[in-house]
Amino acid sequence: MLRIILFLVIIALAAAGAAWVAEQPGEVVLSWNAWRAEMRLPVFILTLGGAIVAIGLVWAIITALWRAPKRMKLGRAARRSGRAQRAITQGLLAVGHGDAVAARSHATAARRHAPHDPLALLLQAQSAQLEGDRDGARRAFLAMAGRDDTKSLGMRGLYIEAQRANDPQAALAIAEEALRLQPNAAWASQAVLGFRCARADWTGALEILETNLSSGLVDKKAFRRQRAVLLTARALDVEDSDESLSRDSALEANKLAPTLVPAAVLAARCLAETHQVRRAMKLLEAAWQAEPHPDIAEAYAHLKPGDPPNIRLARVENLIAKNRADFESALALARAGIDAGEFAKARRALEPFLDNPTQRVAMLMAEIEHGERGDTAKARAWTLRAVRALPDPVWTADGYVSDHWRPVSPVTGRLDAFQWQVPLAALPAKKTVVIEDNPFHDALIASSAPEALPAAKPDEPVVVTVETVTEAAVVSPKEAEATLITVEPDTVADKPKDVLKDAPKEQGKDGGKDGSKAEAPVAAAETVIPMPSTPLFHRRPSQTPPVIPIVRAPDDPGVDEEAAPEDFGERSTAPAGQTGSWRGYRPPR
């Protein structure tokens, strides 16, 4: 609407101007030598305007003809650029979709229309990588590395291709050259740092870390942590060859990261060797408060080599005094108690975790049973239970489990990747196969009493039996000793009569008058005999009637039948302060 009004206004003004010019009186005379021209003023103005318009049109035509070749060239370039941009766009989409054929077709079109376009070179390289054409990808990345605007991208592509070709030397050379040309290249810095860590060049890795800090690639907090990890790795590496460098590195690492367990342990050991035991104790106590770890407890207990086990026990109690209920505190106290012969204290420390024990708890209980009472059966039951027990935390990184701390992940090369935690593969899933506990071994474990069993003679074997009590008849203790029957809940209902048909029919002198005691075992066998909550353990006399063999559980390895009296009658001859290991139960030889 506004344009129409503006057009009408312009037309009106032009008509008014023309009318005004036509109304103007006067004449215009042009004289040149003998030539003379006279005309009215309106005619002169109209003639002059027409001449100007004609001159303008002629000038426009001449200019258009002059510029036509250039405009045609620019038009062709624009059309080629448009086709190249469309080919690049479609090619990148095809690469994203995984369509190698379409990506190759669009890359060819983009290279034909725009051979020097950086995106065309990138599409060519990516399409070659998608097809598995390593030579083509390498040529494309070499072309990109030869340009100033795509040099970093081309060198990174060459680095990736060197990695795929399993050529670490070429990859390292490319990364170092890229880092030299562009110090703030994050990928080159991480690559060179990873290579130097893989070669155990900790000093070179520290230099790269300093460069990363100055380039702004890492913040101050991450720098302190990573420097502590690298210093700890160097201290462990030169511990035997350069004690001074190892000590200085460990102390600096502990100062930068007091919660780093290996740094704290190594620094404390170095201080203890220089007779700075009190300082080493404070260092370990601070690390224990932040993150309890068995290595810290072991280093704290053995700060002074040659100390007796009872002194080490007192030192461990001092360490865990502020956090006695922690899981690692209980295990450290149990370990020190076993070494010192304080089995009762070790047992009390582990009691809160016996309902759902881990593997370390089960192995420590096996060692307690063997060392305190010489009970090989219970020790073996705890050892077998450790197989089914919950896993303990370990050093793990990227799914890789290690028996000791490492500064770099062997899977990804990531620095400071190892964490003290339960590995993901050992965590319970939603659908898992539950292995039921063996009733026989659980009965052995549940029967622990505060008092130790009476010592047996060397030639007098000790057997474990379970009495069955029914309401049908009352069996005297002598009769129970005369008839020893051991059954499993899963098998007693299968063959009750066959199991008990060979039981002696005649009892001792203290039997009943009407022979009801002879029928009691049969009556008990006809029904399922439940396991008593507190089984009774008897020592078999030297002269006993034949007994029914014990039915073993599927996971019980069993014992040699010929050596059964010696195995079950074995008594521990180990001293009360038996020295153990932090890794679990080791029976004495």
Side-chain angles (χ1 to χ4, degrees), residues 105-455:
S105 175
H106 291 301
T108 303
R111 185 171 65 253
R112 184 176 63 254
H113 295 303
H116 302 292
D117 193 315
L119 292 179
L121 294 175
L122 178 61
L123 176 59
Q124 181 182 354
Q126 289 189 344
S127 62
Q129 287 180 331
L130 187 61
E131 288 183 340
D133 184 7
R134 293 182 177 177
D135 292 335
R138 190 179 298 108
R139 288 193 299 269
F141 284 124
L142 280 174
M144 297 172 68
R147 299 169 50 128
D148 294 336
D149 54 349
T150 58
K151 182 180 291 293
S152 178
L153 181 58
M155 298 195 72
R156 185 175 186 184
L158 292 174
Y159 169 76
I160 294 174
E161 288 301 318
Q163 280 189 322
R164 290 183 176 179
N166 197 18
D167 190 356
Q169 300 299 330
L172 177 58
I174 294 170
E176 289 180 344
E177 179 66 16
L179 186 63
R180 184 184 65 82
L181 296 175
Q182 193 175 2
N184 59 348
W187 70 268
S189 175
Q190 294 297 329
V192 175
L193 180 63
F195 275 110
R196 294 190 177 182
C197 291
R199 294 187 303 182
D201 183 9
W202 309 117
T203 304
L206 288 170
E207 295 175 357
I208 297 297
L209 193 61
E210 294 287 347
T211 305
N212 292 346
L213 180 64
S214 60
S215 301
L217 298 178
V218 62
D219 57 4
K220 192 67 176 179
K221 182 178 180 181
F223 167 78
R224 291 173 62 88
R225 176 72 181 188
Q226 293 181 6
R227 180 174 176 82
V229 171
L230 293 175
L231 288 172
T232 304
R234 184 174 68 176
L236 291 172
D237 193 27
V238 301
E239 185 177 7
D240 298 331
S241 58
D242 193 343
E243 295 182 359
S244 177
L245 180 60
S246 177
R247 180 175 61 255
D248 295 341
S249 300
L251 292 177
E252 184 182 355
N254 180 254
K255 184 178 179 180
L256 293 173
T259 60
L260 187 59
V261 173
V265 171
L266 185 58
R269 187 160 61 242
C270 293
L271 291 175
E273 291 176 354
T274 57
H275 306 288
Q276 302 182 49
V277 179
R278 189 175 298 277
R279 182 182 173 187
M281 293 175 65
K282 291 182 179 179
L283 187 149
L284 289 176
E285 288 173 359
W288 181 269
Q289 290 293 330
E291 183 179 356
H293 194 276
D295 291 347
I296 299 177
E298 184 177 8
Y300 195 86
H302 295 83
L303 279 177
K304 293 182 179 180
D307 283 349
N310 57 341
I311 299 298
R312 297 201 300 268
L313 175 59
R315 191 178 295 131
V316 170
E317 290 179 339
N318 178 60
L319 175 66
I320 68 174
K322 297 182 180 180
N323 199 7
R324 188 177 295 270
D326 187 77
F327 177 71
E328 292 294 341
S329 299
L331 265 64
L333 181 59
R335 177 71 269 165
I338 293 173
D339 293 342
E342 297 289 342
F343 296 102
K345 183 175 294 186
R347 190 186 296 271
R348 287 195 301 270
L350 297 179
E351 280 181 358
F353 310 100
L354 295 184
D355 293 338
N356 196 16
T358 64
Q359 295 175 357
R360 291 165 61 195
V361 172
M363 296 305 293
L364 287 173
M365 284 301 302
E367 192 170 351
I368 291 173
E369 295 292 350
H370 192 279
E372 181 182 15
R373 305 176 180 178
D375 196 334
T376 306
K378 292 182 180 179
R380 187 177 64 177
W382 274 110
T383 305
L384 294 176
R385 188 172 181 181
V387 178
R388 306 187 299 268
L390 298 175
D392 290 285
V394 290
W395 289 113
T396 178
D398 300 322
Y400 179 86
V401 176
S402 176
D403 58 348
H404 62 280
W405 176 84
R406 295 186 180 186
V408 181
S409 170
V411 179
T412 60
R414 184 163 52 95
L415 187 64
D416 191 25
F418 276 90
Q419 301 293 330
W420 181 255
Q421 60 185 6
V422 178
L424 296 178
L427 294 177
K430 294 182 179 180
K431 295 182 180 181
T432 56
V433 179
V434 180
I435 302 177
E436 299 181 356
D437 293 340
N438 186 280
F440 179 71
H441 296 148
D442 292 346
L444 289 178
I445 295 172
S447 63
S448 301
E451 302 84 4
L453 293 175

Side-chain angles (χ1 to χ4, degrees), residues 63-118:
T63 304
L65 293 175
W66 181 264
R67 295 179 179 178
K70 186 177 180 179
R71 289 184 177 180
M72 293 176 63
K73 183 178 180 180
L74 292 177
R76 288 195 303 268
R79 288 191 297 273
R80 289 172 62 90
S81 178
R83 287 193 293 267
Q85 293 298 326
R86 286 193 296 272
I88 291 173
T89 302
Q90 297 299 325
L92 292 177
L93 292 176
V95 170
H97 296 158
D99 190 351
V101 177
R104 169 59 64 184
S105 175
H106 291 301
T108 303
R111 185 171 65 253
R112 184 176 63 254
H113 295 303
H116 302 292
D117 193 315

